[in-house]
Amino acid sequence: MTDTNKTAGQTAVVPAQGRPTEERDVLLDVQGLVKHFPIKKGILQRQVAAVRAVDGIDFQVRRGETLGVVGESGCGKSTMGRVITRLQEPTGGSIAFEGQDITHLKTGGMRPLRRDIQMIFQDPYGSLNPRHTIGSIVSAPFRLQGETPEGGVKKEVQRLLELVGLNPEHYNRYPHEFSGGQRQRIGIARALALKPKLVVADEPVSALDVSIQAQVVNLLDDLQDELGLTYVIIAHDLSVIRHVSDRIAVMYLGKIVELADRDDLYATPMHPYTKALLSAVPVPDPKRRGAKSERILLRGDVPSPINPPAGCRFHTRCWKATDICGKQEPPLLQLGTGHQVACHHPENAADQAPEDTELLSVAKQAIESVTLESPAQSPAEPTAETPKGTSKDE
């Protein structure tokens, strides 16, 4: 891990950190969360359809843990992050923070909670006002909350800059004078100004150079140990998620299809979509590149969130899809200790619909593709791609 500059006496004592994840208190409880964006047409602007970005998801985040959220671009994970921080109004469902229902709190009701719920944005260039100095940007939470920290605002801002590995003397500089990694550190310092309990990080390293990503990820780890933070980290990079998360939720087309402990998910993925994503992770060891590949080739494109398919939303690309998959949506069930999956025919677990053996046409085509295609083909062949982090979820 990178060494973060720590001020004497600032280390927080967090008794819950040493306890198992399942024994910690629930900090955030999300039930049936829905976020639809209406599509309107005509002079009267009548709603004709809706983009179903988040379409009914349930999860909990325990105090002191890190929940990773992974999925393809457009699956709704960034929208989910903005909704649970109440930067966007949910269409349905409930959000409880420390037992308090914050689902439909107005601006005035959310203002006291803003100190406890903060967000780190994906774009370190667009999230900072180019006309404001770094000191003004990081001190903004104090002004908005009407707080004056002990020793003064400037001293506290400089302490925060030092905490995230920046020079405190850069207080009067502007964002254009910093690199991408330094700007992301400024965003982290701003998010930590009021000592929040929950931090939602929306792809915190996707816009950064690979050489800087590890530094920022390790910084987040160090700050969690020092300050007792709880994270929801949204990313598309499976290696980053594996490094930082205690539990991982896999999203596909507005739904959580699998939720499990990190080691369990990577060792025994149960949902076919999760298995396909993991099979597409590049192998860095040159000695293993020539070995037999178990890469899964997904055919077709992700369906439109305006008109998602009936039944299981992954059945249009799944090689195990049967008749029931196209008719009945699988519930998110716990099939192992702390391992939830929404699938009629899960991997590494008992079949939920063993009587249904009639494969759909897309499954037959997928099986034929996997059988006939060679793993040594050119990089141009379609694969189960991990998503690009530069596009934004809608």
mmCIF file of all heavy atoms in Angstrom, residues 287-321:
data_model
loop_
_atom_site.group_PDB
_atom_site.id
_atom_site.type_symbol
_atom_site.label_atom_id
_atom_site.label_comp_id
_atom_site.label_asym_id
_atom_site.label_seq_id
_atom_site.Cartn_x
_atom_site.Cartn_y
_atom_site.Cartn_z
ATOM 1 N N LYS A 287 3.406 -17.313 -19.028
ATOM 2 C CA LYS A 287 3.513 -18.768 -19.065
ATOM 3 C C LYS A 287 2.140 -19.436 -19.191
ATOM 4 O O LYS A 287 2.042 -20.576 -19.626
ATOM 5 C CB LYS A 287 4.212 -19.271 -17.799
ATOM 6 C CG LYS A 287 5.650 -18.771 -17.680
ATOM 7 C CD LYS A 287 6.291 -19.291 -16.402
ATOM 8 C CE LYS A 287 7.729 -18.787 -16.278
ATOM 9 N NZ LYS A 287 8.367 -19.258 -15.015
ATOM 10 N N ARG A 288 1.090 -18.712 -18.789
ATOM 11 C CA ARG A 288 -0.249 -19.305 -18.812
ATOM 12 C C ARG A 288 -1.046 -18.895 -20.047
ATOM 13 O O ARG A 288 -2.145 -19.386 -20.263
ATOM 14 C CB ARG A 288 -1.032 -18.888 -17.560
ATOM 15 C CG ARG A 288 -0.461 -19.431 -16.269
ATOM 16 C CD ARG A 288 -1.250 -18.898 -15.084
ATOM 17 N NE ARG A 288 -2.675 -19.195 -15.235
ATOM 18 C CZ ARG A 288 -3.620 -18.586 -14.529
ATOM 19 N NH1 ARG A 288 -3.298 -17.644 -13.673
ATOM 20 N NH2 ARG A 288 -4.896 -18.903 -14.718
ATOM 21 N N ARG A 289 -0.511 -18.001 -20.857
ATOM 22 C CA ARG A 289 -1.269 -17.512 -22.004
ATOM 23 C C ARG A 289 -1.492 -18.589 -23.058
ATOM 24 O O ARG A 289 -2.464 -18.558 -23.790
ATOM 25 C CB ARG A 289 -0.558 -16.311 -22.637
ATOM 26 C CG ARG A 289 -0.667 -15.057 -21.785
ATOM 27 C CD ARG A 289 0.090 -13.909 -22.388
ATOM 28 N NE ARG A 289 0.101 -12.761 -21.492
ATOM 29 C CZ ARG A 289 0.906 -11.726 -21.624
ATOM 30 N NH1 ARG A 289 1.781 -11.681 -22.621
ATOM 31 N NH2 ARG A 289 0.852 -10.723 -20.776
ATOM 32 N N GLY A 290 -0.582 -19.530 -23.127
ATOM 33 C CA GLY A 290 -0.729 -20.580 -24.121
ATOM 34 C C GLY A 290 -1.575 -21.739 -23.662
ATOM 35 O O GLY A 290 -1.875 -22.648 -24.429
ATOM 36 N N ALA A 291 -1.994 -21.719 -22.377
ATOM 37 C CA ALA A 291 -2.804 -22.810 -21.847
ATOM 38 C C ALA A 291 -4.208 -22.780 -22.448
ATOM 39 O O ALA A 291 -4.637 -21.782 -23.016
ATOM 40 C CB ALA A 291 -2.882 -22.709 -20.321
ATOM 41 N N LYS A 292 -4.915 -23.887 -22.289
ATOM 42 C CA LYS A 292 -6.268 -23.970 -22.835
ATOM 43 C C LYS A 292 -7.156 -22.918 -22.188
ATOM 44 O O LYS A 292 -7.262 -22.821 -20.972
ATOM 45 C CB LYS A 292 -6.830 -25.374 -22.595
ATOM 46 C CG LYS A 292 -8.219 -25.550 -23.191
ATOM 47 C CD LYS A 292 -8.732 -26.961 -22.939
ATOM 48 C CE LYS A 292 -10.134 -27.125 -23.517
ATOM 49 N NZ LYS A 292 -10.656 -28.485 -23.276
ATOM 50 N N SER A 293 -7.814 -22.140 -23.005
ATOM 51 C CA SER A 293 -8.652 -21.056 -22.510
ATOM 52 C C SER A 293 -10.074 -21.550 -22.276
ATOM 53 O O SER A 293 -10.603 -22.352 -23.042
ATOM 54 C CB SER A 293 -8.669 -19.897 -23.517
ATOM 55 O OG SER A 293 -9.607 -18.922 -23.126
ATOM 56 N N GLU A 294 -10.676 -21.059 -21.186
ATOM 57 C CA GLU A 294 -12.069 -21.362 -20.904
ATOM 58 C C GLU A 294 -12.922 -20.112 -21.126
ATOM 59 O O GLU A 294 -13.960 -19.946 -20.506
ATOM 60 C CB GLU A 294 -12.214 -21.872 -19.475
ATOM 61 C CG GLU A 294 -11.493 -23.185 -19.223
ATOM 62 C CD GLU A 294 -11.683 -23.684 -17.807
ATOM 63 O OE1 GLU A 294 -12.311 -22.960 -17.011
ATOM 64 O OE2 GLU A 294 -11.213 -24.785 -17.502
ATOM 65 N N ARG A 295 -12.468 -19.262 -21.988
ATOM 66 C CA ARG A 295 -13.180 -18.018 -22.257
ATOM 67 C C ARG A 295 -14.540 -18.306 -22.872
ATOM 68 O O ARG A 295 -14.690 -19.145 -23.755
ATOM 69 C CB ARG A 295 -12.356 -17.141 -23.213
ATOM 70 C CG ARG A 295 -12.983 -15.778 -23.485
ATOM 71 C CD ARG A 295 -12.065 -14.948 -24.340
ATOM 72 N NE ARG A 295 -11.767 -15.601 -25.602
ATOM 73 C CZ ARG A 295 -10.865 -15.147 -26.469
ATOM 74 N NH1 ARG A 295 -10.148 -14.090 -26.182
ATOM 75 N NH2 ARG A 295 -10.654 -15.792 -27.615
ATOM 76 N N ILE A 296 -15.531 -17.589 -22.384
ATOM 77 C CA ILE A 296 -16.904 -17.759 -22.858
ATOM 78 C C ILE A 296 -17.238 -16.626 -23.816
ATOM 79 O O ILE A 296 -17.023 -15.452 -23.500
ATOM 80 C CB ILE A 296 -17.886 -17.771 -21.665
ATOM 81 C CG1 ILE A 296 -17.585 -18.974 -20.776
ATOM 82 C CG2 ILE A 296 -19.322 -17.788 -22.144
ATOM 83 C CD1 ILE A 296 -18.342 -18.966 -19.474
ATOM 84 N N LEU A 297 -17.741 -16.987 -24.976
ATOM 85 C CA LEU A 297 -18.085 -16.000 -25.988
ATOM 86 C C LEU A 297 -19.577 -15.683 -25.906
ATOM 87 O O LEU A 297 -20.417 -16.560 -26.113
ATOM 88 C CB LEU A 297 -17.745 -16.539 -27.381
ATOM 89 C CG LEU A 297 -16.318 -17.078 -27.562
ATOM 90 C CD1 LEU A 297 -16.173 -17.692 -28.943
ATOM 91 C CD2 LEU A 297 -15.307 -15.971 -27.353
ATOM 92 N N LEU A 298 -19.900 -14.440 -25.592
ATOM 93 C CA LEU A 298 -21.302 -14.023 -25.537
ATOM 94 C C LEU A 298 -21.724 -13.475 -26.894
ATOM 95 O O LEU A 298 -21.050 -12.609 -27.453
ATOM 96 C CB LEU A 298 -21.510 -12.945 -24.474
ATOM 97 C CG LEU A 298 -21.337 -13.377 -23.021
ATOM 98 C CD1 LEU A 298 -21.665 -12.219 -22.098
ATOM 99 C CD2 LEU A 298 -22.218 -14.571 -22.697
ATOM 100 N N ARG A 299 -22.836 -13.967 -27.397
ATOM 101 C CA ARG A 299 -23.347 -13.499 -28.679
ATOM 102 C C ARG A 299 -24.378 -12.411 -28.452
ATOM 103 O O ARG A 299 -25.079 -12.391 -27.451
ATOM 104 C CB ARG A 299 -23.979 -14.665 -29.452
ATOM 105 C CG ARG A 299 -23.013 -15.799 -29.739
ATOM 106 C CD ARG A 299 -23.718 -16.940 -30.439
ATOM 107 N NE ARG A 299 -24.134 -16.586 -31.780
ATOM 108 C CZ ARG A 299 -23.371 -16.759 -32.871
ATOM 109 N NH1 ARG A 299 -22.166 -17.279 -32.735
ATOM 110 N NH2 ARG A 299 -23.809 -16.423 -34.063
ATOM 111 N N GLY A 300 -24.480 -11.491 -29.413
ATOM 112 C CA GLY A 300 -25.501 -10.453 -29.332
ATOM 113 C C GLY A 300 -25.095 -9.286 -28.458
ATOM 114 O O GLY A 300 -24.024 -9.258 -27.860
ATOM 115 N N ASP A 301 -25.995 -8.303 -28.382
ATOM 116 C CA ASP A 301 -25.762 -7.091 -27.612
ATOM 117 C C ASP A 301 -26.657 -7.078 -26.385
ATOM 118 O O ASP A 301 -27.636 -7.833 -26.293
ATOM 119 C CB ASP A 301 -26.061 -5.847 -28.467
ATOM 120 C CG ASP A 301 -25.140 -5.748 -29.679
ATOM 121 O OD1 ASP A 301 -23.951 -6.095 -29.527
ATOM 122 O OD2 ASP A 301 -25.613 -5.335 -30.752
ATOM 123 N N VAL A 302 -26.317 -6.173 -25.451
ATOM 124 C CA VAL A 302 -27.164 -5.996 -24.278
ATOM 125 C C VAL A 302 -28.510 -5.427 -24.734
ATOM 126 O O VAL A 302 -28.547 -4.451 -25.477
ATOM 127 C CB VAL A 302 -26.495 -5.034 -23.272
ATOM 128 C CG1 VAL A 302 -27.389 -4.848 -22.048
ATOM 129 C CG2 VAL A 302 -25.132 -5.558 -22.866
ATOM 130 N N PRO A 303 -29.626 -5.993 -24.326
ATOM 131 C CA PRO A 303 -30.939 -5.462 -24.724
ATOM 132 C C PRO A 303 -31.142 -4.036 -24.234
ATOM 133 O O PRO A 303 -30.468 -3.569 -23.312
ATOM 134 C CB PRO A 303 -31.930 -6.430 -24.050
ATOM 135 C CG PRO A 303 -31.149 -7.673 -23.796
ATOM 136 C CD PRO A 303 -29.743 -7.225 -23.538
ATOM 137 N N SER A 304 -32.091 -3.344 -24.844
ATOM 138 C CA SER A 304 -32.373 -1.964 -24.473
ATOM 139 C C SER A 304 -33.058 -1.902 -23.114
ATOM 140 O O SER A 304 -33.998 -2.659 -22.854
ATOM 141 C CB SER A 304 -33.270 -1.305 -25.522
ATOM 142 O OG SER A 304 -33.729 -0.051 -25.060
ATOM 143 N N PRO A 305 -32.616 -0.986 -22.230
ATOM 144 C CA PRO A 305 -33.305 -0.829 -20.939
ATOM 145 C C PRO A 305 -34.694 -0.213 -21.079
ATOM 146 O O PRO A 305 -35.449 -0.183 -20.114
ATOM 147 C CB PRO A 305 -32.363 0.094 -20.154
ATOM 148 C CG PRO A 305 -31.586 0.830 -21.202
ATOM 149 C CD PRO A 305 -31.440 -0.120 -22.346
ATOM 150 N N ILE A 306 -35.022 0.282 -22.275
ATOM 151 C CA ILE A 306 -36.377 0.811 -22.507
ATOM 152 C C ILE A 306 -37.377 -0.328 -22.609
ATOM 153 O O ILE A 306 -38.510 -0.227 -22.133
ATOM 154 C CB ILE A 306 -36.402 1.662 -23.792
ATOM 155 C CG1 ILE A 306 -35.458 2.859 -23.660
ATOM 156 C CG2 ILE A 306 -37.811 2.131 -24.106
ATOM 157 C CD1 ILE A 306 -35.329 3.674 -24.932
ATOM 158 N N ASN A 307 -36.945 -1.448 -23.196
ATOM 159 C CA ASN A 307 -37.832 -2.604 -23.364
ATOM 160 C C ASN A 307 -37.052 -3.876 -23.054
ATOM 161 O O ASN A 307 -36.701 -4.643 -23.957
ATOM 162 C CB ASN A 307 -38.392 -2.630 -24.788
ATOM 163 C CG ASN A 307 -39.412 -3.733 -24.981
ATOM 164 O OD1 ASN A 307 -40.076 -4.161 -24.033
ATOM 165 N ND2 ASN A 307 -39.536 -4.221 -26.209
ATOM 166 N N PRO A 308 -36.753 -4.119 -21.768
ATOM 167 C CA PRO A 308 -35.970 -5.313 -21.415
ATOM 168 C C PRO A 308 -36.750 -6.583 -21.701
ATOM 169 O O PRO A 308 -37.992 -6.582 -21.693
ATOM 170 C CB PRO A 308 -35.726 -5.127 -19.913
ATOM 171 C CG PRO A 308 -36.822 -4.240 -19.452
ATOM 172 C CD PRO A 308 -37.128 -3.327 -20.593
ATOM 173 N N PRO A 309 -36.063 -7.675 -21.968
ATOM 174 C CA PRO A 309 -36.748 -8.936 -22.280
ATOM 175 C C PRO A 309 -37.510 -9.480 -21.078
ATOM 176 O O PRO A 309 -37.164 -9.210 -19.924
ATOM 177 C CB PRO A 309 -35.609 -9.869 -22.688
ATOM 178 C CG PRO A 309 -34.388 -9.281 -22.068
ATOM 179 C CD PRO A 309 -34.600 -7.811 -22.036
ATOM 180 N N ALA A 310 -38.550 -10.261 -21.356
ATOM 181 C CA ALA A 310 -39.314 -10.901 -20.287
ATOM 182 C C ALA A 310 -38.484 -12.006 -19.655
ATOM 183 O O ALA A 310 -37.517 -12.499 -20.233
ATOM 184 C CB ALA A 310 -40.616 -11.470 -20.859
ATOM 185 N N GLY A 311 -38.889 -12.385 -18.439
ATOM 186 C CA GLY A 311 -38.172 -13.440 -17.746
ATOM 187 C C GLY A 311 -36.805 -12.976 -17.282
ATOM 188 O O GLY A 311 -36.625 -11.827 -16.873
ATOM 189 N N CYS A 312 -35.832 -13.867 -17.348
ATOM 190 C CA CYS A 312 -34.454 -13.511 -17.003
ATOM 191 C C CYS A 312 -33.899 -12.580 -18.082
ATOM 192 O O CYS A 312 -33.961 -12.885 -19.270
ATOM 193 C CB CYS A 312 -33.598 -14.765 -16.893
ATOM 194 S SG CYS A 312 -31.839 -14.406 -16.602
ATOM 195 N N ARG A 313 -33.349 -11.456 -17.664
ATOM 196 C CA ARG A 313 -32.897 -10.466 -18.644
ATOM 197 C C ARG A 313 -31.634 -10.898 -19.383
ATOM 198 O O ARG A 313 -31.288 -10.328 -20.406
ATOM 199 C CB ARG A 313 -32.670 -9.128 -17.940
ATOM 200 C CG ARG A 313 -33.946 -8.605 -17.336
ATOM 201 C CD ARG A 313 -33.855 -7.196 -16.860
ATOM 202 N NE ARG A 313 -35.177 -6.741 -16.442
ATOM 203 C CZ ARG A 313 -35.466 -5.515 -16.056
ATOM 204 N NH1 ARG A 313 -34.514 -4.602 -16.024
ATOM 205 N NH2 ARG A 313 -36.680 -5.183 -15.703
ATOM 206 N N PHE A 314 -30.973 -11.909 -18.879
ATOM 207 C CA PHE A 314 -29.752 -12.393 -19.530
ATOM 208 C C PHE A 314 -30.030 -13.538 -20.491
ATOM 209 O O PHE A 314 -29.129 -13.985 -21.194
ATOM 210 C CB PHE A 314 -28.745 -12.831 -18.450
ATOM 211 C CG PHE A 314 -27.399 -13.241 -18.991
ATOM 212 C CD1 PHE A 314 -26.606 -12.341 -19.682
ATOM 213 C CD2 PHE A 314 -26.924 -14.531 -18.808
ATOM 214 C CE1 PHE A 314 -25.362 -12.711 -20.186
ATOM 215 C CE2 PHE A 314 -25.694 -14.913 -19.298
ATOM 216 C CZ PHE A 314 -24.914 -13.997 -19.988
ATOM 217 N N HIS A 315 -31.276 -13.986 -20.570
ATOM 218 C CA HIS A 315 -31.538 -15.209 -21.344
ATOM 219 C C HIS A 315 -31.298 -15.017 -22.840
ATOM 220 O O HIS A 315 -31.080 -15.994 -23.557
ATOM 221 C CB HIS A 315 -32.966 -15.712 -21.090
ATOM 222 C CG HIS A 315 -34.028 -15.072 -21.934
ATOM 223 N ND1 HIS A 315 -34.770 -13.985 -21.511
ATOM 224 C CD2 HIS A 315 -34.482 -15.359 -23.183
ATOM 225 C CE1 HIS A 315 -35.630 -13.639 -22.451
ATOM 226 N NE2 HIS A 315 -35.487 -14.455 -23.483
ATOM 227 N N THR A 316 -31.309 -13.773 -23.347
ATOM 228 C CA THR A 316 -31.082 -13.547 -24.779
ATOM 229 C C THR A 316 -29.622 -13.749 -25.169
ATOM 230 O O THR A 316 -29.303 -13.751 -26.355
ATOM 231 C CB THR A 316 -31.502 -12.120 -25.161
ATOM 232 O OG1 THR A 316 -30.764 -11.172 -24.377
ATOM 233 C CG2 THR A 316 -32.990 -11.913 -24.922
ATOM 234 N N ARG A 317 -28.726 -13.917 -24.183
ATOM 235 C CA ARG A 317 -27.303 -14.124 -24.478
ATOM 236 C C ARG A 317 -26.730 -15.338 -23.754
ATOM 237 O O ARG A 317 -25.529 -15.590 -23.841
ATOM 238 C CB ARG A 317 -26.503 -12.880 -24.080
ATOM 239 C CG ARG A 317 -27.025 -11.589 -24.688
ATOM 240 C CD ARG A 317 -26.323 -10.375 -24.115
ATOM 241 N NE ARG A 317 -24.977 -10.250 -24.604
ATOM 242 C CZ ARG A 317 -24.058 -9.435 -24.063
ATOM 243 N NH1 ARG A 317 -24.351 -8.728 -23.002
ATOM 244 N NH2 ARG A 317 -22.844 -9.368 -24.582
ATOM 245 N N CYS A 318 -27.574 -16.052 -23.032
ATOM 246 C CA CYS A 318 -27.089 -17.124 -22.152
ATOM 247 C C CYS A 318 -27.062 -18.464 -22.868
ATOM 248 O O CYS A 318 -28.015 -18.825 -23.581
ATOM 249 C CB CYS A 318 -27.986 -17.201 -20.912
ATOM 250 S SG CYS A 318 -27.463 -18.451 -19.707
ATOM 251 N N TRP A 319 -26.010 -19.229 -22.674
ATOM 252 C CA TRP A 319 -25.848 -20.532 -23.300
ATOM 253 C C TRP A 319 -26.590 -21.638 -22.527
ATOM 254 O O TRP A 319 -26.641 -22.780 -22.956
ATOM 255 C CB TRP A 319 -24.362 -20.895 -23.396
ATOM 256 C CG TRP A 319 -23.682 -21.040 -22.064
ATOM 257 C CD1 TRP A 319 -23.473 -22.184 -21.362
ATOM 258 C CD2 TRP A 319 -23.132 -19.991 -21.274
ATOM 259 N NE1 TRP A 319 -22.834 -21.924 -20.177
ATOM 260 C CE2 TRP A 319 -22.606 -20.583 -20.108
ATOM 261 C CE3 TRP A 319 -23.025 -18.611 -21.433
ATOM 262 C CZ2 TRP A 319 -21.994 -19.823 -19.097
ATOM 263 C CZ3 TRP A 319 -22.410 -17.863 -20.441
ATOM 264 C CH2 TRP A 319 -21.904 -18.457 -19.297
ATOM 265 N N LYS A 320 -27.176 -21.287 -21.370
ATOM 266 C CA LYS A 320 -27.922 -22.267 -20.589
ATOM 267 C C LYS A 320 -29.419 -21.984 -20.599
ATOM 268 O O LYS A 320 -30.185 -22.653 -19.902
ATOM 269 C CB LYS A 320 -27.427 -22.270 -19.136
ATOM 270 C CG LYS A 320 -25.951 -22.601 -18.983
ATOM 271 C CD LYS A 320 -25.538 -22.656 -17.537
ATOM 272 C CE LYS A 320 -26.096 -23.881 -16.850
ATOM 273 N NZ LYS A 320 -25.604 -24.030 -15.462
ATOM 274 N N ALA A 321 -29.855 -20.982 -21.379
ATOM 275 C CA ALA A 321 -31.249 -20.532 -21.334
ATOM 276 C C ALA A 321 -32.205 -21.618 -21.810
ATOM 277 O O ALA A 321 -32.010 -22.218 -22.865
ATOM 278 C CB ALA A 321 -31.415 -19.275 -22.179
#
